Each structure stands twice: as C-alpha cells, then as structure tokens.
Amino acid sequence: MASGTLDNLPKDLRNEIEHLERLFTVDGAKLKEVTNHFVHELEKGLSVQGGSIPMNPTWVMSFPDGNETGTYLALDMGGTNLRVCQVTLTETKSEFDIIQSKYRMPEELKTGDAEELWEYIADCLMQFIETHHGDPTKLDALPLGFTFSYPATQNYIDEGILQRWTKGFDIAGVEGHNVVPMFEAALQRRGVPIKLTALINDTTGTLIASAYTDPKMRIGCIFGTGCNAAYMENCGSIPKLAHMNLPPDMPMAINCEWGAFDNEHKVLPRTPYDVIIDKDSPRPGQQSFEKMVAGLYLGEIFRLVLVDLHDNQEIKIFPGQDIAKLRKAYSLDSSFLSLIEEDPFENLSETFELFQTKLGLTPTGPELELIRRTAELIGTRAARLSACGVAAISKKKGYKECHVGADGSVFNKYPNFKARGAQALREILDWPEKADPKEDDPIEILAAEDGSGVGAALIAALTMQRIKQGNMHGILHPENFRTTEPLPA
Ligand code: GLC
C-alpha cells in the first residue's frame, strides 16, 4: 500500500485538512461561551416558563448511604440493548450482586409499532423470570425498576409521559403518553408477574449507583448512543415545582435531558454536516447538542465529511472508486472512528484494511492521513463540547470539587475521550497546571457503577424507604409500594 506522512501531503489535501480543522476545532474561549450559555439554559429549564432543556424532576429524593438492602428486578431499555437484571443490595455496605441477561434491540423495533415494542419487552422479561424464578404462575408480583432512557415528564416516580423519542427511535402513538400503563398492559397480556415501582432515566440511575460507593459523586452522565446528565437539585431552586410547596431544602434529582441544549442554535459551532444530520433525522430541530457529541452520530458526521470530499469539494478523495457502501446513511458507528483513532501504525495500515474490508475502498497514503485527522477532530470536538455540560452543572451548583460518574460506549471505549474531556474542563474552569501529573483534578469524571441495574434497584429501595418514613410526594400508586416487599437479599 502507499504510505503517506503529513510532509508529503499534496497541497490541496493539506488545505482540506486545514479547512476541517477550522470547522471542527472548539477553542477554550468558545468552550467558556458555550458553558456560560449552558448554565443559563439549565436555569431556564427549571423555571415556570421552561426552555429547551427539559430539566425533568424525577422524584428520586435522596442519595443512598450504602446501607440499602434487598433484591430487585431492573429493566434497561437504552438505545441499543435491552437488559434485564436482578440486583441484590447486600448486607455488606455498598456491595451488590447482579445476574443479568442482554437482548439485542432489533433495529426494526426502533421505528416500528408500539405494540410490538411492549410485547418484545414483556417476552424478554418473561424469559428472564422463567430462567431465574421458575413457573411464573406461582410467583407474587416482583418489584421492578424500569430504566426508560428518553425524556419523560414525571409527575410521579411511577409515571413517565414520553416528551419525544430521541436516539433515532420513532414509534408512533407513544409521544405525549404515559408509557407505564402501556408497559403494564403488555405484562398483563403475557401474564408476567411484575409490578413497576419506578421509572428511571439512565443518568439518574448512574448518579445514584455511583453515589452508593462514592460519597463525592454529584453528577451522573451518559456518553453513549445518546448524551445526558442528572444531578441533585434542591426543591427551593425548582420554580416550576413551587406550586407543590415542597420543603426548599428537600433534594430532587433532575434528569437534565441536556441533549436538547441549544436547539435554538445560538451558541454551538455547528458545521454544514451537523445541519444535514439534523435535517435527515426523525426529529429535526431536536437534540442539537446530542447530535454533535453522542455515539449515534459520530460515525455519521464522519461519513458525511468523506462523502462530501468525494462529491463536492475541489479535491476528490477516492477518485474513480465506487463509494456506494460509504453512501449508506448510518453505516459507520462510533466504533469505526475508535478503530481509526487506535490504529498504532505510522502508515495507518489498519485503517487501510478497515476501509478495504468494510467499504471496499482503497485510500492513498495522504487520504489515510486525512481520514485519521478527521476522526480525531470529530472525537475531540465531542469530548470537549461534552465537558461544557459537566462544567455548567458544576458552575450552577457551585461545585469546586466533586466526582462525576460516567457511563456509555463513548466514555468507556472511545480512545482519548476521557483525557480530552478532562483537558477541556481544565480550560473552562481555569484550573492551574498540575504540579504532579498524578494529582487528581478538582472535578473528576470517573467510570460509574451500573446505573440502569444497580441504580434502578437503589432507587426502588430508596423510594420504599421514604414512603415508610411518610414522604409520599410524587408517588402515583402507593399501594404498589406498600404491598411490594423487596425480595429477600
Ligand atoms: C438521550 C435520552 C436521554 C438519555 C440519553 C443517554 O439523550 O433522551 O434520556 O439519558 O440519551 O442514554
């Protein structure tokens, strides 16, 4: 294969790289501008008038202290997989056992029919119960925390009115409706012995699960197929809940749904590629921030750049080659970019092979350089912009030092995402250079505990606890909690 280095890049290709660098680089000053606007928008979301960021109260009203116990079921309906877990919070402080089964979420379900979605979920749950508990007809209803990771209005913890589908889902008849009765009806039709106790967002689960083992945790984040965060607010700072007369110092976890940040396009440095992603998505005008930073979109942004460089720009990459495979929308996911960024070889031979096998393309050495730089630019922009959200919550809450629990495929698997995010936080918050490289950052984004499993179990436990103590706020069906004892640990 041809090998290329930046030195022998043809001039037009180098110009093209410089052009992409201008489009995708977000400098420290811009990060600060984005963060300041973000703080303002978080506040707006909590106001009566509201804003783009939903800032949904979740009725999760305390942190765990590590002494929670019991066994709970948890169902996680994320963007890619469906997971059923049985979580035991053990008598030993901050410890847990978990058994789980994963089911692939069939692609066609994401844009199919609501009935089919609920039936599929009920089937997976039934399978899990039969495997782990035996004959379902002989069982009392088991308590379940349902991690439903989409924006939902919750007047109660056991309710979730879907505001809109995100992450490419588009199933008619669900938006604007409470998903709990739909879910329960499917369980009933199938005879699945389960009682939903709480509907949870993955970010809230992540926050609570991480706080179970680390008292410095203040924010839970997902950097995965979608991108979002939750943190603990005090009720007195949530004007849209003022009518409920909750004690001002009572805690309330807020699911920010920050993917919707800057839907008005006031501050984010969007490129023409971001505009196309939005226009061609099932919900144009929604999730502006998410579409620039989340895993579902990173590969697609990259693909759009390459197609453009083949079709439209002065330089034609892959001249004379058939780019039919590259033309297929959403054919490259963020793991494709990860592989490019991870290619350890000077001549990018792994990237070359990837393009041959996956796309049937034979890039030249200089084209490989351009491919690598493009991946770096997209991955770096995602990490740096994501950090603005973390910085914004920290600023809003006055957190100078804390831990942030993070989960999701991009955080866990995308090369350099953590280091790039940490560097961006440093620039935004003006931290001095470290004296010793081993020193911890004041605000650290750390790998979280399993939010949609352990977090869901903890939220079920905390909710039962607070009901026992007489805090009945935000509970639609207290009878479910009264009659539902957790399974013995
Ligand atoms: C999307 C969803 C949000 C979820 C996030 C991460 O942004 O709207 O609810 O937390 O993805 O999964």
Side-chain angles (χ1 to χ4, degrees):
M1 61 165 287
S3 80
T5 67
L6 281 171
D7 294 342
N8 63 13
L9 274 192
K11 186 153 175 299
D12 46 2
L13 255 184
R14 203 173 322 146
N15 285 345
E16 212 45 68
I17 289 181
E18 281 166 13
H19 175 63
L20 290 170
E21 282 171 346
R22 279 192 301 278
L23 278 181
F24 283 97
T25 303
V26 191
D27 65 16
K30 185 66 181 176
L31 291 179
K32 285 184 176 173
E33 187 194 339
V34 171
T35 303
N36 290 337
H37 187 57
F38 218 130
V39 175
H40 183 72
E41 289 297 305
L42 294 174
E43 269 155 15
K44 205 160 151 197
L46 293 172
S47 71
V48 176
Q49 143 221 15
S52 278
I53 306 185
M55 302 299 275
N56 293 325
T58 64
W59 302 99
V60 172
M61 304 180 80
S62 59
F63 277 120
D65 64 10
N67 294 314
E68 293 69 20
T69 56
T71 298
Y72 306 84
L73 292 182
L75 163 71
D76 177 15
M77 180 188 156
T80 317
N81 293 314
L82 199 74
R83 192 165 61 112
V84 185
C85 322
Q86 178 167 311
V87 182
T88 301
L89 309 170
T90 61
E91 297 292 332
T92 317
K93 190 167 191 257
S94 299
E95 287 192 7
F96 56 85
D97 294 323
I98 185 163
I99 46 176
Q100 56 178 326
S101 298
K102 261 193 187 177
Y103 309 84
R104 182 109 202 138
M105 188 79 146
E107 206 48 47
E108 58 284 2
L109 271 193
K110 296 182 187 171
T111 51
D113 178 85
E115 196 91 330
E116 278 168 22
L117 171 77
W118 301 120
E119 297 294 324
Y120 180 76
I121 294 176
D123 281 346
C124 293
L125 281 168
M126 190 63 142
Q127 237 184 58
F128 184 88
I129 289 180
E130 281 170 353
T131 311
H132 298 288
H133 292 273
D135 186 354
T137 57
K138 299 210 171 81
L139 291 170
D140 288 337
L142 306 168
L144 171 110
F146 179 13
T147 304
F148 179 74
S149 303
Y150 305 87
T153 306
Q154 295 193 276
N155 297 304
Y156 309 96
I157 196 165
D158 43 354
E159 171 193 84
I161 303 166
L162 178 63
Q163 292 164 338
R164 73 196 66 81
W165 287 116
T166 56
K167 299 184 277 198
F169 275 64
D170 188 11
I171 302 172
V174 189
E175 284 171 324
H177 297 278
N178 180 6
V179 299
V180 175
M182 301 185 195
F183 170 69
E184 284 177 336
L187 295 181
Q188 219 163 21
R189 278 197 297 276
R190 284 280 199 276
V192 189
I194 277 177
K195 198 175 282 182
L196 181 143
T197 52
L199 187 119
I200 298 150
N201 187 262
D202 50 2
T203 55
T204 318
T206 298
L207 171 69
I208 298 300
S210 302
Y212 184 57
T213 54
D214 178 352
K216 283 185 80 182
M217 280 294 165
R218 293 291 176 274
I219 302 173
C221 287
I222 302 288
F223 305 109
T225 306
C227 179
N228 185 20
Y231 74 103
M232 203 60 92
E233 193 49 273
N234 49 300
C235 290
S237 304
I238 313 175
K240 64 184 177 184
L241 288 186
H243 62 283
M244 300 198 67
N245 294 318
L246 301 165
D249 56 353
M250 193 176 248
M252 172 75 78
I254 298 291
N255 162 21
C256 300
E257 288 296 333
W258 76 19
F261 170 60
D262 204 32
N263 282 349
E264 306 74 16
H265 306 144
K266 282 196 181 143
V267 67
L268 288 173
R270 295 168 92 216
T271 67
Y273 309 109
D274 300 305
V275 174
I276 299 175
I277 294 249
D278 183 43
K279 186 167 65 60
D280 292 346
S281 75
R283 296 288 179 281
Q286 302 292 346
Q287 303 297 98
S288 274
F289 181 61
E290 180 160 86
K291 284 169 178 163
M292 297 174 80
V293 301
L296 178 61
Y297 306 102
L298 299 184
E300 182 64 2
I301 299 171
F302 175 79
R303 192 190 67 79
L304 289 170
V305 171
L306 294 192
V307 169
D308 186 37
L309 291 179
H310 175 82
D311 286 347
N312 301 321
Q313 305 301 320
E314 225 148 79
I315 86 132
K316 299 249 173 278
I317 58 167
F318 316 131
Q321 299 189 49
D322 176 8
I323 70 156
K325 284 195 177 149
L326 186 65
R327 286 204 192 277
K328 188 161 179 282
Y330 288 92
S331 53
L332 306 181
D333 61 16
S334 54
S335 69
F336 191 86
L337 289 202
S338 299
L339 289 173
I340 297 171
E341 284 222 48
E342 268 161 4
D343 187 343
F345 298 109
E346 186 72 29
N347 65 358
L348 300 174
S349 55
E350 287 188 353
T351 307
F352 179 81
E353 272 164 37
L354 194 64
F355 269 69
Q356 284 216 311
T357 48
K358 178 105 200 217
L359 297 170
L361 291 171
T362 307
T364 63
E367 283 168 354
L368 286 170
E369 295 295 336
L370 174 117
I371 286 165
R372 163 82 141 222
R373 187 73 188 115
T374 304
E376 269 169 18
L377 286 168
I378 293 170
T380 304
R381 187 186 72 160
R384 288 172 68 79
L385 286 179
S386 297
C388 294
V390 175
I393 294 182
S394 305
K395 276 192 144 184
K396 182 193 179 302
K397 294 300 291 176
Y399 296 144
K400 298 272 180 263
E401 286 185 17
C402 70
H403 288 170
V404 177
D407 208 343
S409 50
V410 173
F411 183 77
N412 292 323
K413 295 193 194 134
Y414 198 96
N416 305 318
F417 187 84
K418 292 174 200 159
R420 289 165 178 168
Q423 172 59 29
L425 274 185
R426 175 167 300 278
E427 290 171 40
I428 299 167
L429 299 170
D430 290 319
W431 295 333
E433 281 310 313
K434 286 185 199 178
D436 173 356
K438 287 205 205 93
E439 220 173 87
D440 289 342
D441 286 337
I443 297 176
E444 281 212 287
I445 311 183
L446 304 168
E449 295 292 348
D450 168 13
S452 26
V454 178
L458 280 164
I459 289 170
L462 291 171
T463 307
M464 287 190 194
Q465 232 172 57
R466 79 165 162 96
I467 289 176
K468 270 194 195 138
Q469 291 159 0
N471 177 350
M472 306 296 288
H473 296 297
I475 314 280
L476 182 57
H477 292 295
E479 69 281 7
N480 278 353
F481 291 87
R482 268 193 222 106
T483 55
T484 309
E485 280 301 314
L487 305 166

